[in-house]
Amino acid sequence: MNAIDNHYDVVIVGAGVGGGAMANRLAAGGARVLMIERGNYLPREADNWSVKAVFHDRKYTAKETWRDKDGKPFHPSTFYYVGGNSKFFGAATVRFRKEDFEVLEHEDGIAPAWPWSYEEFAPFYDEAERLMGTHGTAGADPIEPPRSGPFPHPTIGHEPEIEAIAEKLRAKGLRPFPLPIAIDRHEGGACIRCATCDGFACKLGAKNDAEVRLIRPAIATNRVDLVLDTKVLRLLTDPTGKRITAIEVEQDGQIRTIGGDLFISSAGAINSAVLLLRSANDQHKGGIGNNSSDLLGRNYMAHNNTAMMAVHPFRKNGVTFQKSMAVNDFYLANNHRPYPLGNVQGLGKLQGGMLTANMKIIPEWMMNLFAKRSVDWWIMSEDLPDRNNRVLLDPDGTVRIQYTPNNEKAHNELVRKWGQIMRSVGYPLIITQRMDITVSMHQCGTAVFGRDPATSVLDPFCKVWDVDNLYVVDASFLPSSTGFNPSLTIVAQAVRVAEHLLGNTLSAAA
Ligand SMILES: Cc1cc2nc3c(=O)[nH]c(=O)nc-3n(C[C@H](O)[C@H](O)[C@H](O)COP(=O)(O)OP(=O)(O)OC[C@H]3O[C@@H](n4cnc5c(N)ncnc54)[C@H](O)[C@@H]3O)c2cc1C
Ligand code: SF4
């Protein structure tokens, strides 16, 4: 077991985006922090950029088996490392729209209002963009919410193939814009703008993931200790159930407990729910945090996602970094469309082997033929909170994701529409793949925050309503999935919670 000091102000479970941002800000404010991570540092090595290692051999994916709603086992595409899922993320670091913070009517129901307005949240987005080192162009997204100034870095720009498509889209009246991206691509930066970013880890450490931007700087303050290869099994409470007194961890097959004053679960939306469910005791029979609302683990969301290849039969696509453009023209309802459809953004350049890993019936040579000639897109629509979509523990302890997709009509409409648009700009062959339960990359909603303990698991500062010294700061708190990538919002909320703790709970304890 790594050396652990006698006293920490805060114990954080999970060194991903939420945990990393909490550690970073708390340490900057002078707090002593212990982080406990089940994984280790991801090695920087040639395999980081190998399609075979990443997609076929699944070298870096968690070695776990979960079950779907019918009890069918599957291997989730999730990653347990310092930096969490962001080690493999596409680095799109976007703000949710102002409308996402309000009640938003969808074809299939309602996305609820957040406890904060966009205006209240915006200063924390400023700080989150600075922490993540986001590149972008203010004012380019036609539905961008108000912001206080420019992005920390200018946009990385499009390569000629993507710029040509942007031109054609503009000629059709659409308003493509540079996707805000967090990679180290500016004067003096380490990024070489390669084709293996989205879905891969960066061999050069040039992706602005949680390890690079949040956790390593936090450790450099000497106020953060990080314990690796240590899985937190349970949270233990005092006899009243109102305070967490310790966590039970497993390392090298040994079980031990670690005490503390303030605990933060940042294990990710699925694993935080699992941890709180697994910690059920006499005072919290349905899991810690479930008493007031019966919502722990419920409202699981992960977006409706489709990958699309738009293929030109004769022209090769020579692009390297393709994830530079997005389109939000279909994000909100308007006069022509009574409900929101979602966002379209460039996907990291697909290679044949990435596709055959899932579509085994099509030979790799054929997929390579398509992939060399395709422009690739990620089409993402909001799925809505439903209490029956939930994370559960089966009697044998296996994680079960009981999820039935909803709001699919809007998603299918967007996929169809984007296919038509791609055909009209010169890509006659459209190949799509809908993402299934194994793709939990945008998991969220399993411990929603809100102003009413009867309808939320967490208060607006992510404290568990039922417990005095437990917070959940990761994608769990999101009350709606929105139609956009979640990581920047997780960082922004962590900044907000850290500021709150430093100004209240931790300063009172000092
Ligand atoms: C391929 C891919 C592409 C993506 N692209 C984007 C993108 O472009 N933009 C975007 O915004 N988002 C993207 N995402 C999603 C983004 O990475 C996640 O939203 C974000 O990482 C979630 O942060 P988190 O703090 O909730 O959880 P995580 O970052 O997953 O962190 C959870 C951490 O807790 C650890 N942990 C779990 N259980 C335990 C336990 N019991 N004990 C100790 N430690 C534990 C895990 O190992 C992990 O390190 C992508 C994700 C993937 C996988
Ligand atoms: S594009 Fe840049 S940040 Fe992304 S993997 Fe390549 S070198 Fe790393």
Side-chain angles (χ1 to χ4, degrees), residues 389-409:
N389 281 344
R390 59 192 295 203
V391 175
L392 289 162
L393 283 173
D394 277 351
D396 66 356
T398 302
V399 176
R400 182 182 285 241
I401 310 294
Q402 180 179 295
Y403 178 76
T404 305
N406 58 41
N407 208 24
E408 288 187 287
K409 187 174 166 201

Side-chain angles (χ1 to χ4, degrees), residues 242-258:
K242 289 299 284 179
R243 288 190 72 76
I244 307 296
T245 52
I247 55 177
E248 191 179 87
V249 305
E250 180 183 8
Q251 191 194 49
D252 291 336
Q254 308 251 23
I255 309 273
R256 63 170 283 191
T257 56
I258 299 172

Side-chain angles (χ1 to χ4, degrees), residues 258-416:
I258 299 172
D261 297 330
L262 192 71
F263 295 86
I264 298 174
S265 181
S266 296
I270 292 173
N271 278 307
S272 275
V274 165
L275 177 61
L276 271 64
L277 287 167
R278 199 169 270 148
S279 305
N281 61 20
D282 284 348
Q283 288 71 38
H284 300 274
K285 291 204 186 312
I288 292 181
N290 192 53
N291 284 352
S292 302
S293 63
D294 187 24
L295 283 177
L296 177 65
R298 295 182 183 272
N299 292 326
Y300 172 79
M301 295 169 277
H303 283 149
N304 291 312
N305 296 304
T306 293
M308 176 184 286
M309 298 171 83
V311 185
H312 191 294
F314 310 117
R315 197 171 55 228
K316 285 195 176 170
N317 179 6
V319 74
T320 50
F321 192 94
Q322 189 172 244
K323 200 175 182 67
S324 64
M325 187 180 100
V327 171
N328 268 342
D329 291 287
F330 310 104
Y331 197 89
L332 297 173
N334 61 26
N335 289 342
H336 312 289
R337 188 180 54 250
Y339 45 82
L341 300 189
N343 164 268
V344 180
Q345 60 186 244
L347 187 56
K349 183 70 204 85
L350 288 177
Q351 302 178 41
M354 293 162 76
L355 301 156
T356 50
N358 288 324
M359 284 189 206
K360 297 210 167 30
I361 42 167
I362 305 180
E364 189 156 330
W365 64 264
M366 190 183 286
M367 271 307 183
N368 271 327
L369 212 70
F370 290 146
K372 285 200 171 94
R373 290 160 179 79
S374 69
V375 180
D376 315 299
W377 303 98
W378 188 252
I379 303 177
M380 180 168 39
S381 309
E382 186 155 359
D383 54 346
L384 302 170
D386 173 352
R387 55 179 289 116
N388 296 316
N389 281 344
R390 59 192 295 203
V391 175
L392 289 162
L393 283 173
D394 277 351
D396 66 356
T398 302
V399 176
R400 182 182 285 241
I401 310 294
Q402 180 179 295
Y403 178 76
T404 305
N406 58 41
N407 208 24
E408 288 187 287
K409 187 174 166 201
H411 183 63
N412 294 339
E413 202 170 318
L414 183 57
V415 172
R416 211 166 35 247

Side-chain angles (χ1 to χ4, degrees), residues 113-187:
W114 287 39
W116 307 112
S117 66
Y118 172 77
E119 286 74 13
E120 287 167 308
F121 212 74
F124 303 97
Y125 270 138
D126 292 348
E127 180 64 2
E129 284 173 352
R130 188 192 66 74
L131 283 168
M132 297 305 284
T134 304
H135 295 243
T137 304
D141 174 356
I143 58 163
E144 183 181 56
R147 48 181 303 127
S148 63
F151 282 83
H153 299 287
T155 176
I156 60 164
H158 302 315
E159 290 168 47
E161 291 84 351
I162 302 302
E163 186 51 48
I165 293 175
E167 268 305 310
K168 288 181 184 167
L169 295 176
R170 277 185 219 111
K172 291 187 163 299
L174 294 166
R175 297 161 296 174
F177 65 94
L179 179 64
I181 283 284
I183 56 176
D184 197 21
R185 181 75 186 168
H186 48 82
E187 188 91 22

